[in-house]
Amino acid sequence: MVDIKVVSQRSKKEIGSFVTTSSTTVGELKKQISSKTKLGAERIRLSVPSKTSKLPNAFEALGKDSDLVSKHVGADSTIYFKDLGPQISWSLVFICEYAGPLFVYPIFYFLSNLIYGTDSPKSFAQKVALVCYSLHYIKRIYETIFVHRFSHGTMPIFNLFKNCSYYWGCTAMVSYFVNHPLYTEAPIERVYLGLGLWIIGEVFNYICHIQLRNLRPAGSTERKIPRGLLFEFVSCPNYTVEILSWIGFSILTQTLTSWIFALMGAAQMWIWAVGKHKRYRKEFGDKYPKSRKILIPFLL
């Protein structure tokens, strides 16, 4: 048996000592800490000082709840504790952030007189944009409920407000200009090109999500190496084709704000993709394909 000293990551104040064995898991230790602190186990993050980061006072979180504590604890038998604050389910956050655009975008399409003080017949591109934008988020909600299997059950409740502000605000920014009475429609060839790219991106994005779902049995947090189709070329093809989808939407709408939204999304997805690529390489080592790029086949 080993006494594990748990210390607050912020204040460095000792939370307490907890008895563990060689078979004690991270999840079991969290439950012990939860009983002492009266905080839900989902709020607790346990970390140890990072062995790889060059930054001072850098920490790396312990692995999955099923991991053994003994795998992570150093010679001083100290683990650092952080309260992540009130939590909310991932699926609820996703549904809220994706439902907002379904209400915000049509406001500018259907209430032109109220918003712009005038109205005009909607062009073909504006009609297509409404359908594309709405179908994207309907698909997102469907995937959240019926497709995705989340490795973590909850996230900090602050993320609800942060994520909703981003998606709802960007939707208003995009829709305001696409549905403006002075909007100029792109040439029909460009509209069809953008629509084609959007369809390809959305279809392959859904295929990627189904592939990821099939990697993880229901109720499990098991991780496997994704394989097949676009996963043979990049670690996160679901992001690759979503970026393609938003590029298509920007081409068919030809508005600056659509391109801004596409670039903002691409930048965020690049950050997520880099993180996932590093985790895959760290977790699977030599088993992970060395030729597989991060986001762009053969390049990056």
Side-chain angles (χ1 to χ4, degrees), residues 72-84:
H72 300 280
V73 177
D76 62 353
S77 299
T78 300
I79 288 179
Y80 292 84
F81 157 93
K82 184 176 181 180
D83 177 13
L84 298 175

Side-chain angles (χ1 to χ4, degrees), residues 36-167:
K36 183 177 181 65
T37 61
K38 308 303 180 186
L39 296 173
E42 73 279 357
R43 293 179 57 156
I44 296 172
R45 186 176 73 183
L46 301 178
S47 305
V48 293
S50 175
K51 297 177 182 178
T52 57
S53 176
K54 297 179 181 179
L55 298 174
N57 299 317
F59 292 86
E60 54 185 39
L62 302 193
K64 298 174 290 188
D65 281 359
S66 58
D67 283 358
L68 297 177
V69 173
S70 56
K71 173 183 173 182
H72 300 280
V73 177
D76 62 353
S77 299
T78 300
I79 288 179
Y80 292 84
F81 157 93
K82 184 176 181 180
D83 177 13
L84 298 175
Q87 300 288 293
I88 188 171
S89 74
W90 278 70
S91 57
L92 179 58
V93 172
F94 282 3
I95 289 172
C96 289
E97 68 187 42
Y98 297 149
L102 291 176
F103 294 99
V104 173
Y105 193 98
I107 289 174
F108 297 90
Y109 184 94
F110 291 107
L111 301 180
S112 292
N113 271 324
L114 181 63
I115 295 170
Y116 307 109
T118 185
D119 196 6
S120 59
K122 293 296 186 287
S123 67
F124 176 68
Q126 288 172 312
K127 294 175 182 176
V128 170
L130 172 67
V131 172
C132 289
Y133 207 93
S134 300
L135 285 179
H136 174 81
Y137 287 102
I138 290 172
K139 167 180 164 294
R140 278 280 185 242
I141 292 173
Y142 171 83
E143 290 172 337
T144 298
I145 298 172
F146 299 107
V147 177
H148 294 321
R149 288 174 176 161
F150 301 106
S151 56
H152 300 285
T154 64
M155 67 170 74
I157 196 169
F158 170 74
N159 286 8
L160 173 65
F161 304 101
K162 180 183 70 174
N163 293 11
C164 287
S165 296
Y166 171 76
Y167 282 101

Side-chain angles (χ1 to χ4, degrees), residues 209-229:
H209 288 161
I210 293 295
Q211 289 178 284
L212 290 171
R213 170 193 166 85
N214 292 338
L215 286 176
R216 178 177 293 160
S220 169
T221 58
E222 180 184 3
R223 289 165 62 89
K224 298 178 183 178
I225 298 176
R227 297 190 184 279
L229 294 177

